[in-house]
Amino acid sequence: MNAFAQTPAPNLVGDYNLASSTTVPASTWGYSKGRISIKQLDDRHLLILFACEWKREPKAVCGDHYFAQQRDDGLYLQDMNTDALRLYFDPATRKLTIISRGYDAKESVRHDIFSATSAPLTDTALLRRMKREQANASDKENLRVFGPYQKRDYQNNRIEFQRQSITTP
């Protein structure tokens, strides 16, 4: 058994505001604002709600939701619509980083950083989008088609936890 399995995963539950959204090569394929809310569903599952606003098209639909499962060897995202995402969490700074691979001609990569916040969400567009993602996550039709989150596959995409640097006295 590896060392990671012997220590519990850091607690991601909470709210996060977009701190930066950049792309390589530089483009407008990024967010002007965003919010992530991570909720504990049961002892092994999390719900990640994401509401955002696109830089180039502020009124366009922008948001998503993901389920994650805690296992002995880590915390995994659902194996559905997550192939182009990588998530990293730094427990020391409580920053969540999402790296997204684009399918455009330039093969863009977006790098989004979210910082933990305790401030209530007051932006009306983000509030509306967050409510929509919450409704989508618990939608009866999604449940019928994809099954309950407890029965889904969580194999291919682990949320990586950044290790704190070790200092010697």
Side-chain angles (χ1 to χ4, degrees), residues 59-71:
K59 298 209 181 282
V61 173
C62 189
D64 215 333
H65 68 277
Y66 307 101
F67 294 98
Q69 181 184 68
Q70 175 66 48
R71 299 200 328 248

Side-chain angles (χ1 to χ4, degrees), residues 94-113:
R94 297 214 31 94
K95 288 195 188 288
L96 184 66
T97 301
I98 300 175
I99 299 177
S100 307
R101 186 179 65 246
Y103 294 106
D104 58 348
K106 295 180 181 180
E107 298 179 351
S108 302
V109 175
R110 191 176 63 244
H111 190 244
D112 305 309
I113 299 173

Side-chain angles (χ1 to χ4, degrees), residues 17-22 28-35 50-60 62 110 112 114 123 125-126 129:
N17 279 333
L18 181 67
S20 69
S21 182
T22 57
T28 56
W29 181 60
Y31 305 122
S32 56
K33 55 186 169 181
R35 177 82 165 216
F50 177 50
C52 50
E53 182 175 283
W54 292 108
K55 287 179 183 176
R56 66 178 164 205
E57 213 173 327
K59 298 209 181 282
C62 189
R110 191 176 63 244
D112 305 309
F114 294 82
D123 183 280
L126 291 181
R129 292 170 181 170

Side-chain angles (χ1 to χ4, degrees), residues 35 62 79 133 158 166:
R35 177 82 165 216
C62 189
D79 289 349
E133 291 310 322
R158 187 167 73 182
I166 300 173

